[in-house]
Amino acid sequence: MFFLGHTGGSWQILPVASGDISWREAYVATPTTISPDSTNTSRDLLANPTSLDRVLVELTALLEGGAPLNWDLLPVFRQTKAPVLLAAFRRLSGKTDARVSALGIRGRLSAGDAGTVQLLIQQQSALATSSSWASVIDELRTWYLPGNIADINVLGTVTANPDSRVELRIAAASALARLHSRETLPLLAQLLAEPNSRLQALAVGGFASFANNVPAGSHQPAAGDWKYRTKQPPNNNITT
């Protein structure tokens, strides 16, 4: 892939970055064979695509065609929420290559895409033995916010299942605690009796987020009244 600039009738190859970078680091190899799936990317473009959309289409087409992609597309998606990337993530999440499907699942988790955790559960055996497993777990723990009650209940099923992988249970509990909505309360409450102290702590943190005025998906208190906290000091003279 080359970047060209047109200056007064002549074309020049533009540097991809300023500073110390090698050609090998900037080069994206074109695969010798192209998967039919890679042609789907052009259909993802909106009526008036931006320059970034066009670049993302080319990158995801290369990835679906089997080319190695040495850059993580998730930070771009978190910043832009580009529909062309979400469409590609949905296709990639169903691939048999664990590295590729992990990228698709991570993208869908970052988007809060419906049914993604259920798909993760189905593919966990293959993903857990790949080098991408840690990044998938981190995505679930740090970025995922379920968008409907069905996905919230799937998280609750994962956290309550002692046969689930412990890192998956902790990541799912983190997602519930970060959301801390009315629907998550009974799911967090059941973790208070868990022998695993990490799960207990996440449940307490989810409840504490209400008192600390932390919005869903955030880790910091919001400005304004803390409606779940009272200014009245505790009564230390209660007798039983």
Side-chain angles (χ1 to χ4, degrees), residues 156-238:
T157 300
V158 172
T159 58
N161 184 2
D163 295 327
S164 295
R165 302 180 66 91
V166 64
E167 68 271 23
L168 183 58
R169 296 182 70 195
I170 290 172
S174 297
L176 289 174
R178 194 169 63 258
L179 179 58
H180 58 272
S181 65
R182 180 188 300 273
E183 293 80 10
T184 66
L185 292 178
L187 304 176
L188 291 170
Q190 69 184 0
L191 296 179
L192 296 175
E194 274 287 336
N196 187 306
S197 59
R198 290 281 302 278
L199 293 173
Q200 287 183 353
L202 287 167
V204 172
F207 285 116
S209 293
F210 285 98
N212 292 330
N213 203 42
V214 178
S218 178
H219 300 281
Q220 299 296 327
D225 294 335
W226 293 23
K227 62 180 180 179
Y228 292 106
R229 179 179 293 189
T230 176
K231 295 181 180 180
Q232 181 179 352
N235 186 353
N236 296 324
N237 298 318
I238 296 177

Side-chain angles (χ1 to χ4, degrees), residues 14-185:
L14 301 178
V16 295
S18 300
D20 183 17
I21 185 171
S22 69
W23 172 246
R24 182 179 296 276
E25 293 171 311
Y27 172 67
V28 179
T30 301
T32 56
T33 59
I34 301 296
S35 166
D37 290 343
S38 64
T39 61
N40 291 329
T41 57
S42 61
R43 303 172 190 170
D44 300 332
L45 285 173
L46 301 176
N48 296 302
T50 65
S51 298
L52 176 61
D53 287 334
R54 295 184 185 279
V55 171
L56 293 175
V57 160
E58 296 295 334
L59 289 176
T60 53
L62 285 170
L63 182 61
E64 291 187 75
L69 188 60
N70 299 321
W71 300 282
D72 191 349
L73 295 173
L74 266 296
V76 177
F77 179 71
R78 294 188 195 110
Q79 183 177 2
T80 65
K81 301 300 182 185
V84 66
L85 271 183
L86 179 55
F89 289 147
R90 286 170 175 165
R91 289 195 302 273
L92 295 175
S93 65
K95 300 295 185 181
T96 55
D97 184 329
R99 178 187 66 91
V100 176
S101 65
L103 174 60
I105 288 175
R106 287 178 61 212
R108 293 182 62 178
L109 287 171
S110 186
D113 202 28
T116 309
V117 175
Q118 188 63 51
L119 180 63
L120 170 57
I121 295 170
Q122 295 169 0
Q123 297 189 15
Q124 65 175 309
S125 296
L127 290 172
T129 57
S130 75
S131 58
S132 302
W133 179 242
S135 62
V136 173
I137 289 297
D138 185 65
E139 201 72 37
L140 177 61
R141 180 178 62 247
T142 309
W143 296 98
Y144 177 64
L145 283 177
N148 58 59
I149 189 62
D151 288 335
I152 290 173
N153 288 336
V154 171
L155 288 176
T157 300
V158 172
T159 58
N161 184 2
D163 295 327
S164 295
R165 302 180 66 91
V166 64
E167 68 271 23
L168 183 58
R169 296 182 70 195
I170 290 172
S174 297
L176 289 174
R178 194 169 63 258
L179 179 58
H180 58 272
S181 65
R182 180 188 300 273
E183 293 80 10
T184 66
L185 292 178

